[in-house]
Amino acid sequence: MRLFDTHAHLHFPHFAEDLDAVLDRARAAGVRGMVTIGTDRETNGAVVDLAKRLPDVWATVGIHPHDAGEAAEADFEAIERVAREEPRVVGFGEMGLDFFRNLSPPAAQRQAFRRQIDIARRVRKPLVIHCRDAHDETLALLAEERAGETGGVMHCFSGDVEIARRCLDLGLYISLAGPVTYKNAHALPDVARFVPEDRLVVETDCPYLPPTPHRGKRNEPAYVALTAEHVARLRGADPEALGDRLTANAASLFRITLT
């Protein structure tokens, strides 16, 4: 299968000891590209450095809702500057709203989210959107800020078919991760069947959320194959053909050319 991991955290300490081996396993599994995701001022620098060093890794820069309360004006200026200057930066995020953990005040989360959407629209690079226990407000804010002008992806989608429909109406891609393979996946199998083939991508969110049968272990990009194969079974699709389609979708989402 040709595959693309649209959301990884390869710069995290979990991979400090064996990143080369992790990347070798991903390539052996058919992974043609990976995007490593920035979340705050420290990781934004780390993801850019990694993407500049590895030809099949790209980066996004952003302020995660957990870190919104600590974000300063200089952080927003920095992500705009690096996204304009560095071609390996292919999007903004991880950004959004998280009312489950509320590690930053909701008002700060909203402000940081709106600010990043505005930057993304001006720079014309897509959004990587985190949403937990906040679907209605996230979608309303995206609509108000005209996020469809730049597009983006609902990372690690956790809603139902109706929420997916609303995301698609805003021009967003839907990204499925390891939880679609879990026995308690609830609505996600229906979402996997519902989303049009040209608006679907997959991810690992590694080192988190490993697919079955690796739950409880560290996730890594090679395991995106397990998620893609499971989605193919749910859709009654040929895995290789679906892998090709998902990879093409990822390249279109992030506006990159795969060799």
Side-chain angles (χ1 to χ4, degrees):
M1 295 177 70
R2 294 175 69 249
L3 299 161
F4 195 107
D5 186 355
T6 61
H7 196 112
H9 298 284
L10 299 173
H11 53 289
F12 276 16
H14 307 69
F15 299 111
E17 300 298 322
D18 64 342
L19 180 59
D20 288 344
V22 166
L23 295 173
D24 286 344
R25 286 194 290 272
R27 293 160 185 151
V31 178
R32 301 288 298 278
M34 297 155 267
V35 177
T36 191
I37 306 291
T39 58
D40 58 22
R41 67 178 66 103
E42 288 80 18
T43 59
N44 287 334
V47 297
V48 173
D49 289 344
L50 194 62
K52 289 167 70 173
R53 182 166 61 86
L54 298 167
D56 52 357
V57 175
W58 289 263
T60 67
V61 290
I63 305 297
H64 193 285
H66 293 342
D67 302 288
E70 303 297 322
E73 178 62 24
D75 297 317
F76 297 107
E77 293 173 355
I79 64 174
E80 179 169 357
R81 182 174 61 254
V82 72
R84 289 186 183 277
E85 296 175 354
E86 178 49 64
R88 303 298 294 179
V89 173
V90 294
F92 289 95
E94 177 176 353
M95 66 174 78
L97 302 175
D98 192 314
F99 296 159
F100 176 74
R101 298 186 70 186
N102 273 320
L103 296 186
S104 288
Q109 294 187 43
R110 296 183 188 102
Q111 182 179 18
F113 193 14
R114 289 183 188 275
R115 182 68 187 280
Q116 291 176 93
I117 297 170
D118 177 65
I119 294 170
R121 281 179 34 241
R122 288 188 281 107
V123 179
R124 303 188 67 79
K125 291 187 178 181
L127 311 169
V128 176
I129 303 159
H130 173 108
C131 176
R132 193 165 186 194
D133 284 8
H135 281 111
D136 285 340
E137 187 161 351
T138 296
L139 294 173
L141 194 152
L142 288 165
E144 290 170 16
E145 297 295 328
R146 309 193 313 277
E149 292 180 11
T150 189
V153 58
M154 292 297 290
H155 138 67
C156 195
F157 185 80
S158 61
D160 57 17
V161 165
E162 182 54 33
I163 295 295
R165 190 190 313 274
R166 293 167 63 188
C167 293
L168 295 169
D169 288 345
L170 286 170
L172 301 172
Y173 286 78
I174 302 293
S175 182
L176 295 176
V180 74
T181 71
Y182 300 169
K183 290 182 179 179
N184 62 345
H186 303 302
L188 288 178
D190 289 336
V191 171
R193 299 181 190 101
F194 166 76
V195 176
E197 187 179 81
D198 63 348
R199 301 285 290 283
L200 185 64
V201 292
V202 288
E203 64 173 271
T204 57
D205 197 19
C206 64
Y208 310 117
L209 300 175
T212 303
H214 298 290
R215 292 189 74 177
K217 302 175 183 178
R218 182 189 68 175
N219 200 3
E220 59 179 76
Y223 297 165
V224 77
L226 299 171
T227 298
E229 289 164 359
H230 188 81
V231 170
R233 286 193 294 271
L234 289 170
R235 294 174 69 94
D238 174 72
E240 291 194 10
L242 184 64
D244 285 345
R245 177 73 261 187
L246 299 177
T247 299
N249 291 347
S252 178
L253 164 64
F254 291 114
R255 300 155 200 171
I256 61 177
T257 300
L258 294 174
T259 57

